[in-house]
Amino acid sequence: MIPAEFDYVAPETLDEAIRALADGGEDAKLLAGGHSLLPLMKLRLAAPALLVDLRRVPDLAGVRANGDIRIGAMTTHSALVRANAGLASVAAATIADQQVRNRGTIGGSLAHGDPASDLPAVVLAAEGTIVARGPGGEREIAAAEFFRDYLETTLAPDEIITEIRMPGTEGWSFGYEKFNRRREDWAMVAVCALVRIESGACADARIGLTHMGSTPLRATAAEAALRGQPLEAGAIAAAAEQAAEGTSPPADLNASADYKRHLARVLCRRALERAAG
Amino acid sequence: MSGNGNGSRYVGQRLRRKEDPPLITGKGVYTDDMTLPGMLYAAFVRSPESHARITSIETSAAAARDGIHAVLTAEDLDLAAGMPMAWVPPGVEINTPEHWPLARGEVKHVGQAVGVVLGEDKYAVVDATEDVVVEYDPLPVVVDPEAALEDGSPLVHEQFGTNRTHQWGLGSEDMDVAWQEADIVIERRIVNHRVHGAPIEPRACLAEYRAGYLTLWSTTQIPHLTRSFLAGSMQMSEDRIRVVAPDVGGAFGTKLNHYPEEAVACAAARRLGRPVKWTETRSEHMTTTTHGRDQIDRVKMGLKRDGTITGLHIDVLADLGAYYQLLTPIIPCFTAFVASGCYKIPRVRTDITGVFTNKFPTDATRGAGRPEATHVVEVMVEQAAAEIGIAPVDIRRKNFIPKEDFPAEVAVGVVYDSGDYHGTLDKLLEKIDFDELERERSELRERGIYRGIGYSTYMEICGLAPSRIVGPHGVGIQGGFWESAIVRVHPSGSVTVFTGTSPHGQGLDTSMAQIAADRPGTTPDVVEVIHGDTNTGPYGMGTYGSRSLAVGGESVARAAEKVQDKAKRIVAHMLEAAPEDIEVAGGKFTVRGSPDKGMTLAEVSGAAYIPENLPDGMEPGLEETTLYDPEHPAGSTSCATSLSTTAGRRSTPC
């Protein structure tokens, strides 16, 4: 598998990287872990003229949980797992295999915008924020505004994700359920659920759906059905029944649209049950 | 373990695999690891069309790129023959198309090689393939084997006027009697879909032509046969060709072949006077390395009300793809040979129709035709049991060939030498508690979890033999099915075994060392097993069809036995005892009744290589060769698995 010819730079600072990306124009691509981009290049489905490698840019990796959770864009999935930062770490532990987790990064995964990847729906459900820097400075993009379409985000071509911020999880519990045929595969469907429990009842619920559309989605109907309800089997099952409301998942080689909707309901119930403890 | 009278200490023991340390520490030598001075890399220009006429090929832009040495198409290759197909069935008409390593005039499947780019840089040659402009005039395509036989279907090979390749049948001529004797006849259409072996190491080859000698390193299961094929296509004397299979990373049957890329690499190396290496990409592998199965079986089984099977007929439609690789059209025949499974069925017949489609050829993959038969027979037995309303275990027991019937000739005309099918099933039922599994199944069902419980029996032709049945005047494969071995004891007492098989990860270095070590009373760690090089070992048939240990291992055992016999005669001579009184025990040759009198293998071989005191007329040295042609290898086993599913949680409790 041999990619088309390309140029390569590995700048030492974020500003240099931004400049290199801008100078490279639309044929330039950022290289983080490379576990989505490089396979596409080797299949010659992508042929960027310039790769701007972020590996030498300092201060882009690391996880800080101090009130809110801040995850550097170049944090590998393995490092995120080790940081033990709740839902994101649990989801990251299910990504592909150890080799991929050792190289793949959260920033790369979000920027790639693949709705079958684990972390986009997690960041969406957690109501996280993507911090990006470009020639015009830094901006924060709410996850709900970030994913535009299949493999498309609202990140500008000359912007670089520097950090992902997620609200603190105190008072919240969570569950993550994913279904695939082999453990290393992308999710056929995955569901992440965050619930805040007060006096045995669900004060708030945030449910993210992976691979149920061209972007990660929230299961808003199920969330609404659960709010204010006691977190017990009946209410969970009833809410989970609505997990696929409003979705139109694309059928693929592994699953029909109907089967994906079925999976969303089953996995939602299991994720909520896990969150309810 | 103590000796078994034959000095067997290592056979049967669990040993760490001798071959693993280099393989798992990156010290193996695979074909792609090799580099020769002046070597060129090859990249193929492949058809994106399933079926098309080639109207033009423009190579000049690619050839003009930096680092590109040549761009070759079909007419540039000096080959006397296309790709070989080894089946010439007596009395059967078979439509055999020419199959050239680079397409001539038409392409008939996606991925078919049209040209090859050669250059010094492995990246540059791939880039340059994009500059080779091939114009195609698309032709109608057929990929469905049933549609391919309909009137008016597009024809894969116009000259035959049909997509039917051949028809071949085996078994009873009077199936009508089976249906008349039956109380119930069930019919099913069973699809065995196309599969791919996909070993970890894709294919690769490296060809060097120097001073009239050709060397090919290749990811092959059959180095000796490949040399014979190249002698024909390259019009060279076989002694001037060396084929080497270095470390090979798995095959599953897909490397039991001679592929177009090997022929192109050899022809290009000779034409250009430079070594040529090609390494397959995984995408190429999926499109242009042999596929398997792809049968549609229309099956009919007749039964008495009590479950006794009166007859089985399998009508096989075999999708062979667009061309033949080495064994393509014969693979479904193997379905016929094992169609009776473990069962005593008075009438069994298989009728096979082969069909061309615009797909890559099928060929040997993981069992090559036999698992298809097992699938058919076992599915039908289960279906019949359900239809009649008896337990699957009971219908099997009722129809198994009884132990006392062996050797048993089954209705397809094959004699099973031995077997105990009731015994293997009983053993399975001892190990697997089906009642408990079924009780759990009921419990799980209440929780919305569905468990399936299944098991299967099978009868296999492991080893493919004997030559007189499988060979040219029998089934019609143009080859023999024996295997060779040389066991060479060195003057120091260490041993080198040469085997004609060509292992690719099965652990044969270890198991053959175990076999060779026992008889001369040495240890596997001082037995080196050499394979896969036509210039070192004897001619051999290669590794396929579960034959390497069954046939090749037996060959090693027989050569080692000869070494032991000679060693005993030397020991007897030197210790003034009778050869029949010499035993092998505890790593020594000793005289029965006088355990203190003995010689180590090193002492024996020392005496053999410095022949001052050998028995009269004995040749010096300690080395023996065997070419073993087996009779009827066979095996049978049963296994069980079960699966729990809801939306997804799996478990296999047994």
Side-chain angles (χ1 to χ4, degrees):
Chain A
M1 311 302 272
I2 291 179
E5 194 170 349
F6 58 90
D7 286 328
Y8 171 89
V9 291
E12 307 272 351
T13 68
L14 190 57
D15 286 340
E16 281 175 39
I18 291 167
R19 221 168 16 250
L21 193 55
D23 291 348
E26 60 185 20
D27 288 335
K29 287 290 272 181
L30 284 177
L31 179 64
H35 274 53
S36 298
L37 180 59
L38 295 185
L40 289 174
M41 290 170 62
K42 288 180 174 183
L43 290 165
R44 299 203 170 207
L45 295 172
L50 172 68
L51 288 188
V52 180
D53 192 340
L54 293 174
R55 71 192 168 91
R56 288 190 182 148
V57 176
D59 304 326
L60 285 181
V63 181
R64 280 177 300 158
N66 187 11
D68 63 352
I69 301 166
R70 297 177 177 221
I71 306 168
M74 287 290 280
T75 305
T76 64
H77 305 316
S78 290
L80 181 53
V81 173
R82 284 195 301 273
N84 205 12
L87 173 59
S89 298
V90 168
T94 73
I95 295 171
D97 55 46
Q98 188 65 50
Q99 285 166 306
V100 172
R101 292 194 291 274
N102 284 346
R103 298 290 301 174
T105 66
I106 186 169
S109 176
L110 297 189
H112 188 51
D114 185 341
S117 293
D118 297 78
L119 295 176
V122 167
V123 177
L124 178 72
E127 304 195 343
T129 303
I130 289 94
V131 183
R133 279 268 296 277
E138 185 172 286
R139 69 176 178 127
E140 295 183 10
I141 312 162
E145 306 293 325
F146 185 76
F147 301 103
R148 186 152 58 190
D149 204 343
Y150 181 70
L151 304 185
E152 250 188 80
T153 70
T154 56
L155 195 68
D158 56 1
E159 280 182 317
I160 298 175
I161 300 176
T162 56
E163 191 171 80
I164 291 84
R165 294 180 188 158
M166 296 196 283
T169 54
E170 200 173 313
W172 292 81
S173 57
F174 65 87
Y176 189 67
E177 292 287 336
K178 169 171 163 179
F179 183 63
N180 45 20
R181 284 175 39 163
R182 300 174 311 151
R183 207 186 175 301
E184 300 83 0
D185 282 342
W186 277 278
M188 227 181 261
V189 171
V191 177
C192 59
L194 285 153
V195 292
R196 191 158 56 79
I197 307 170
E198 280 174 15
S199 318
C202 172
D204 201 357
R206 297 169 179 175
I207 300 169
L209 303 174
T210 292
H211 215 185
M212 287 293 289
S214 60
T215 64
L217 299 171
R218 289 280 289 270
T220 49
E223 291 173 357
L226 202 61
R227 283 193 195 102
Q229 298 295 316
L231 260 184
E232 44 77 31
I236 286 174
E241 274 306 298
Q242 300 188 46
E245 286 300 304
T247 66
S248 46
D252 57 38
L253 278 176
N254 289 317
S256 67
D258 275 348
Y259 185 53
K260 284 187 170 182
R261 280 190 281 264
H262 167 75
L263 285 175
R265 290 189 286 266
V266 172
L267 299 176
C268 183
R269 176 175 54 73
R270 289 184 189 162
L272 288 170
E273 282 169 353
R274 191 174 288 272
Chain B
M1 290 167 96
S2 60
N4 63 0
N6 202 14
S8 173
R9 293 195 300 159
Y10 292 102
V11 169
Q13 275 200 41
R14 289 166 186 256
L15 296 187
R16 287 215 171 145
R17 295 185 3 148
K18 283 166 70 76
E19 54 268 70
D20 280 354
L23 299 180
I24 63 178
T25 55
K27 303 292 195 297
V29 181
Y30 295 89
T31 303
D32 188 52
D33 292 326
M34 296 181 196
T35 302
L36 293 177
M39 188 177 82
L40 300 174
Y41 291 90
F44 285 85
V45 179
R46 295 186 183 277
S47 170
E49 297 287 339
S50 294
H51 194 189
R53 206 167 285 121
I54 300 168
T55 55
S56 68
I57 306 177
E58 181 49 59
T59 61
S60 53
R65 288 179 68 116
D66 282 350
I68 300 305
H69 200 77
V71 182
L72 306 180
T73 58
E75 57 268 27
D76 300 319
L77 301 181
D78 184 16
L79 291 171
M83 306 318 298
M85 192 278 281
W87 191 41
V88 186
V92 178
E93 277 183 40
I94 177 162
N95 292 328
T96 303
E98 288 189 359
H99 182 198
W100 293 97
L102 294 178
R104 296 185 171 186
E106 278 190 17
V107 289
K108 296 184 187 294
H109 64 81
V110 167
Q112 186 171 356
V114 172
V116 61
V117 177
L118 299 127
E120 277 112 21
D121 180 87
K122 69 176 173 182
Y123 287 72
V125 291
V126 178
D127 290 341
T129 60
E130 296 186 348
D131 283 350
V132 176
V133 181
V134 184
E135 279 187 35
Y136 296 100
D137 181 10
L139 294 167
V141 169
V142 60
V143 294
D144 176 337
E146 288 177 322
L149 290 182
E150 287 169 7
D151 287 344
S153 163
L155 293 176
V156 178
H157 297 281
E158 194 83 35
Q159 71 271 28
F160 300 130
T162 174
N163 288 320
R164 186 176 283 106
T165 59
H166 70 295
Q167 286 180 295
W168 186 92
L170 181 75
S172 311
E173 302 286 347
D174 55 351
M175 291 308 299
D176 284 348
V177 179
W179 316 137
Q180 283 157 18
E181 288 180 353
D183 296 324
I184 178 171
V185 175
I186 63 169
E187 295 182 57
R188 296 289 185 272
R189 177 177 179 273
I190 297 174
V191 177
N192 210 311
H193 63 79
R194 191 167 268 245
V195 300
H196 199 299
I200 289 177
E201 184 204 23
R203 291 189 291 124
C205 59
L206 167 58
E208 181 185 44
Y209 187 88
R210 183 187 286 261
Y213 289 83
L214 173 69
T215 305
L216 176 72
W217 291 266
S218 182
T219 53
T220 183
Q221 296 170 244
I222 47 167
H224 298 276
L225 299 180
T226 299
R227 179 175 64 167
S228 300
F229 301 140
L230 287 170
S233 63
M234 295 284 285
Q235 293 286 284
M236 289 176 65
S237 181
E238 205 167 351
D239 60 294
R240 294 195 163 212
I241 302 174
R242 179 185 180 194
V243 177
V244 185
D247 286 331
V248 177
F252 305 121
T254 62
K255 294 169 183 170
L256 162 52
N257 236 302
H258 178 40
Y259 280 99
E261 294 84 357
E262 292 175 316
V264 171
C266 292
R270 178 165 66 181
R271 181 188 170 98
L272 303 174
R274 305 266 298 260
V276 170
K277 181 161 88 173
W278 170 75
T279 302
E280 188 179 54
T281 66
R282 184 58 70 182
S283 303
E284 286 181 301
H285 186 77
M286 299 308 283
T287 45
T288 58
T289 290
T290 56
H291 299 166
R293 316 268 189 266
D294 214 347
Q295 286 189 5
I296 298 173
D297 302 315
R298 293 179 184 281
V299 195
K300 199 168 168 184
M301 180 180 266
L303 301 106
K304 296 279 194 196
R305 192 65 63 192
D306 68 356
T308 306
I309 303 170
T310 64
L312 174 70
H313 183 246
I314 312 174
D315 199 348
V316 177
L317 180 60
D319 186 340
L320 303 183
Y323 295 99
Y324 299 148
Q325 282 285 327
L326 186 57
L327 297 167
T328 298
I330 195 187
I331 297 300
C333 298
F334 295 123
T335 304
F337 285 105
V338 294
S340 200
C342 302
Y343 304 105
K344 184 175 186 170
I345 307 176
R347 289 175 181 81
V348 180
R349 181 168 181 83
T350 304
D351 284 298
I352 293 162
T353 302
V355 59
F356 291 122
T357 59
N358 292 112
K359 294 190 281 195
F360 194 75
T362 46
D363 206 305
T365 304
R366 291 300 272 171
R370 284 108 66 192
E372 290 91 319
T374 299
H375 183 241
V376 160
V377 176
E378 291 294 297
V379 165
M380 291 305 285
V381 163
E382 290 276 337
Q383 294 279 312
E387 199 135 322
I388 295 173
I390 62 176
V393 167
D394 294 336
I395 194 169
R396 286 187 170 90
R397 283 203 174 112
K398 184 171 268 302
N399 289 285
F400 275 158
I401 301 167
K403 193 176 166 186
E404 54 275 16
D405 277 18
F406 290 95
E409 180 166 2
V410 292
V412 298
V414 173
V415 178
Y416 294 3
D417 63 346
S418 61
D420 180 3
Y421 306 137
H422 289 91
T424 54
L425 184 58
D426 288 345
K427 198 162 186 179
L428 173 81
L429 295 172
E430 261 170 46
K431 289 188 179 286
I432 309 295
D433 188 344
F434 279 100
D435 292 340
E436 174 66 10
L437 286 173
E438 278 173 14
R439 195 188 57 71
E440 284 176 10
R441 170 161 67 182
S442 310
E443 277 179 24
L444 290 168
R445 190 68 170 265
E446 284 168 25
R447 291 194 276 139
I449 296 173
Y450 290 66
R451 167 179 284 177
I453 303 170
Y455 64 95
S456 170
T457 67
Y458 79 87
M459 203 297 299
E460 255 277 21
I461 308 176
C462 295
L464 289 185
S467 297
R468 67 176 184 280
I469 289 182
V470 190
H473 294 93
V475 178
I477 300 182
Q478 305 298 298
F481 292 86
W482 45 271
E483 197 46 85
S484 61
I486 295 174
V487 173
R488 176 179 298 161
V489 183
H490 304 295
S492 61
S494 67
V495 178
T496 297
V497 172
F498 298 91
T499 172
T501 68
S502 192
H504 52 267
Q506 308 100 305
L508 285 168
D509 290 48
T510 306
S511 37
M512 286 185 172
Q514 288 173 271
I515 291 170
D518 274 342
R519 285 168 178 77
T522 185
T523 55
D525 59 316
V526 291
V527 179
E528 184 66 17
V529 179
I530 306 290
H531 50 75
D533 185 341
T534 60
N535 268 23
T536 59
Y539 199 98
M541 300 307 293
T543 191
Y544 51 85
S546 310
R547 71 187 304 277
S548 302
L549 195 62
V551 186
E554 177 63 18
S555 186
V556 171
R558 287 173 184 231
E561 188 78 29
K562 290 186 196 171
V563 165
Q564 188 197 56
D565 285 347
K566 183 171 180 182
K568 281 181 176 176
R569 282 186 283 130
I570 294 171
V571 173
H573 177 72
M574 296 185 72
L575 300 183
E576 296 176 343
E580 53 273 22
D581 286 337
I582 306 301
E583 295 177 325
V584 180
K588 283 179 91 171
F589 290 84
T590 55
V591 181
R592 184 176 295 134
S594 315
D596 52 321
K597 284 178 80 176
M599 292 174 75
T600 64
L601 182 60
E603 288 166 341
V604 179
S605 61
Y609 282 99
I610 304 174
E612 294 174 319
N613 185 19
L614 289 181
D616 281 349
M618 181 182 276
E619 290 180 8
L622 197 50
E623 167 174 330
E624 297 291 348
T625 301
T626 290
L627 278 78
Y628 166 62
D629 198 10
E631 277 298 311
H632 291 272
S636 91
T637 190
S638 308
C639 73
T641 184
S642 69
L643 175 72
S644 302
T645 64
T646 123
R649 283 178 187 158
R650 283 148 292 188
S651 70
T652 303
C654 57

